Amino acid sequence: MQADPNDRQQDGAGGAGSALLRLQNAILEMIAKGESLAATGDQLCRQVEALLPDVICSILTIDAAGVLHPLAGPSLPRNYSASLDGLLIGPAAGSCGTAAYTGTDVAVTDIETDIRWDGFQHLAVPHGLVACWSSPILDARGVPVATFAFYYRERRGPTALERKIVAHCLRLCVIAIDRHHRVIEHEKRAFTDVLTGLPNRAAYNAALLTLDCTLPGRWALLVVDLDNLKIVNDSFGHQAGDRLLQVAGERVAAAILPGRVYRIGGDEFAVLLDYPMAADELEATAERIIAALALPADCGGQIVVPRATIGGAIVGVGDLLVEHVRQNADFALYHAKEIGRGGFVRYWPGLGSNITRRLSAIRDVGVALREQRIDAYYQPIFRLDTREIVGLEALCRMKIGDQVIPAASFHEATTDAQVATALTARMMAIVAADVRTWLDLGIPFQHVGINISSADLYGGTVERVLTAAFEGAGVPLKHVIVEVTETVYMGEGDHVIQDAIHTLRAKGIRVALDDFGTGFASLTHLLSVPVDILKIDKTFVDQLEPNSASMAIIEGLIGIAEKLDIRVVAEGVETDLQAEQLRKIGCTLGQGYLCSPAVDRHATTALLLRDGQGVDVRPASGLQARRSGRRG
């Protein structure tokens, strides 16, 4: 019996249908697994070519400018695919370019003679490509985003089966391309700062992974920190602050081309200069940024001049990791902020060690505060004639196991304002409790000095913290003296600290100027910012000799202090000879090892019970006290 031709066609169609279903499932699985668009397109072409051995399959994408780019064409000659990259779509731009332009499929049965291939024949014909049928791939809006093409090695157009297969393929391509665009958009959002439109920290971290540290000077990094964002936010509102960030980002980006700028924090930008860079070029780039920022800007109706501090680093000989360069740039920025905002510092070897040591001190003190390993030791202030103790200075100590670490060893931690104010608050609470104990023991306790930092005075909370600690312990404020060093007293050239000292004294809290003679203060400052006690630095006492400059200076200070009603304490008194020489020139009070080193509260209690002055009366100052016979 002879087979019916219709039966054979149905059998073929049924086989093609099964094959198409397998193709569809395979491609959808790749899309679901997140395979790349290029890999998915390549696999689609291969499977179609397996179904249709007479065709050569090709997929081209179309960018926003209407330019073609090869995506997949595993059986096309590589040089032919390369020749298509960058071609513009148009009414006569081959089968694919024309299909993309018109939005309809284009079947060219003879490439060599078809007018739509005019000027392009020489690209295809030498490779035996005789005919081409191309269909546009349209997105949800009906806009061509790619083309799907069959090349033939004979003069012909598409068959019904080929049209059926292509219809399925076009739907699969739409799904794959749509997912690809969504992935790109998601990545763009993930790597873009919403406010400024600049690449964000995630993009910055990704860019750093691509850099090479094997060649010194190959690239460089700048970290730009806006100095006045908080002020603008607080003064004019966050809308003005947001506009400041946008303006700053735009100006930095324009100033560093061909470098790249990223917004990596609230007020911080990073500039990646991925090309050979010398030290002077890095400095010139930083200066361009500072100059570009320095122009007034309209920020939400407020005129603001953006200001920034910059740290920079160039990949060096010892920088084996990108992280080293990034850390070096951060170190440079940290140092630039410390020495004065508004400038640029380039990293140099050794800078990191200094800052690492400082950061380690900050970390160690922070941990000690949390673990309550900060304690107070006390050094007596005594009369040079009778050796009676008239007061104490509370000195900060950190305990590590059995070790007691003096404040000088972790002084760098006080460069951090938060740590400095926390130390002061802790010391005030400890000292107030100790004074309460001594008063309860019936010791006629006079006063204790507590050191405060510039951060305490800048913060404006020192009087409140002091009052809360001493009143909470039931100790009158007459028993406390706040001590400021000469460098703190100078207040870095502004009036904030001087005003704070005025406020403290106006509320009846006495102020001592510690380590006088080690900094830049002079007696003329005492006219505008008076204090109650002047503590002469140990360096003068060490050089006390008859007719010496130190002797003359101390004697002059005592005379002036007496007229200003300022008490004088000589620090670092270690010998009986020093005590006698000081007493002869009118100094009545001293502090130093001659009486006692700084000791813990238990040893201090014993000293006070043994040598504490029995009358709690503030003496007249200087020579007047000595002449009147009153006890100091």
Side-chain angles (χ1 to χ4, degrees), residues 382 384 387 538-545 551 554 570-585 587 589-594:
F382 61 97
L384 294 172
R387 309 296 164 86
K538 181 180 183 297
T539 53
F540 291 98
V541 177
D542 287 342
Q543 301 176 53
L544 270 180
E545 293 179 5
M551 183 76 80
I554 294 174
E571 297 181 298
V573 181
E574 298 179 351
T575 67
D576 288 320
L577 179 60
Q578 287 174 334
E580 181 60 23
Q581 288 174 322
L582 288 165
R583 197 175 62 80
K584 284 181 179 179
I585 59 175
C587 185
L589 301 175
Q591 179 180 346
Y593 277 38
L594 180 61

Side-chain angles (χ1 to χ4, degrees), residues 7 63 72 173 210 279 314-315 321 326 346 373 394-395 424 443 449 460 475 520 579 582 603:
D7 290 339
D63 65 23
C173 287
T210 67
I314 304 173
V315 60
L321 299 173
R326 186 199 63 75
R346 178 176 58 85
R373 290 187 286 105
L395 299 168
T424 301
I443 296 172
V475 177
F520 303 100
L582 288 165

Side-chain angles (χ1 to χ4, degrees), residues 7 17 31 66 92 102 149 169 216 265 274-275 302 323-324 331 363 369 484 548 593 608 622:
D7 290 339
I31 295 171
T102 61
C169 291
D274 190 9
Y275 49 87
Q302 304 292 335
E323 178 63 19
H324 294 161
F331 283 151
R363 183 193 63 238
L369 281 165
V484 296
S548 67
Y593 277 38
L608 290 171

Side-chain angles (χ1 to χ4, degrees), residues 277-294:
M277 176 68 59
D280 57 344
E281 292 175 295
L282 185 66
E283 183 172 355
T285 302
E287 289 175 352
R288 282 202 309 274
I289 293 172
I290 292 172
L293 289 173

Side-chain angles (χ1 to χ4, degrees), residues 374-379 392-397 399 425-450 469-476 479-480 598-606 608-609:
I374 297 296
D375 206 353
Y377 272 47
Y378 300 92
Q379 187 171 38
L392 303 168
E393 180 181 356
L395 299 168
C396 187
R397 296 291 184 264
K399 293 182 178 179
R426 171 71 176 156
M427 286 292 291
M428 287 178 176
I430 293 171
V431 171
D434 287 341
V435 174
R436 182 67 264 167
T437 299
W438 294 325
L439 292 173
D440 291 343
L441 289 172
I443 296 172
F445 184 82
Q446 292 192 40
H447 55 77
V448 59
I450 301 176
F470 276 76
E471 289 185 354
V475 177
H479 292 299
V480 66
V599 292
D600 64 25
R601 62 181 51 81
H602 304 296
T604 300
T605 301
L608 290 171
L609 289 170

